[in-house]
Amino acid sequence: KVPAGVIPLLIDAGQAFGTGHHETTTGCLEFISDLVRPGMKVNALDIGTGTGVLAIAIAKLTHQTVLASDIDPVAVKVTTTNARKNNVSPYIKARTAKGFSHPVLKAKAPYELIIANILARPLVSLAPSFRAHLVHGGTLILSGILRTQETMVSNAMRIQGMTLVSRKPKGDWVTLRIQG
């Protein structure tokens, strides 16, 4: 049963990663809830989408197209299926891509909101690409970061001229909100 005032998400992980229950996904969903308003116009990208839970949450709130990418083609199929189950398939464009390598991801840039719930080292490697594909003043939500890796990730973003705005620690994990 869905409580009043909550937007339900139906997620079947299948062979993909992410059901929305892990601390990293919860942190991302909380930041989405803090920042994204119903009907808001936002050019958003979910990198490392897994099951598509974060892209689907944005699409349900905004009714805007959200790009969702993953290096795993199975995850892209699962995302497409979950988008259909959540009645947002017209808004989710899922693509198999490593980083920003897909032409569709490049064509839709710059983004006002980029979410990446992957791992700390890939986040650090993607720091220059995040900066290059995020509008000035845009928001970057990063997770998949152990608390012991937080400084490494935030420093990589700072070197690119981005600023840590806030953080959501949960257990051993932390989700960061960065401004470009």
Side-chain angles (χ1 to χ4, degrees), residues 48 69-73 76 95-99:
S69 71
D70 202 290
I71 60 172
D72 181 2
V76 171
R95 300 291 184 264
T96 303
K98 183 177 181 183

Side-chain angles (χ1 to χ4, degrees), residues 12 25 29 39 47 60 112 115 117 129-130 143 150 156 176 180:
D12 180 3
T25 311
L29 288 168
I47 292 223
K60 281 191 150 205
E112 296 154 328
I115 299 179
N117 182 11
S129 293
F130 288 141
S143 203
E150 178 179 358
L176 305 178

Side-chain angles (χ1 to χ4, degrees), residues 24 64 112 129 147 150 170-171 179:
T24 60
Q64 300 288 312
E112 296 154 328
S129 293
R147 284 190 192 209
E150 178 179 358
K170 295 192 176 299
Q179 185 170 6

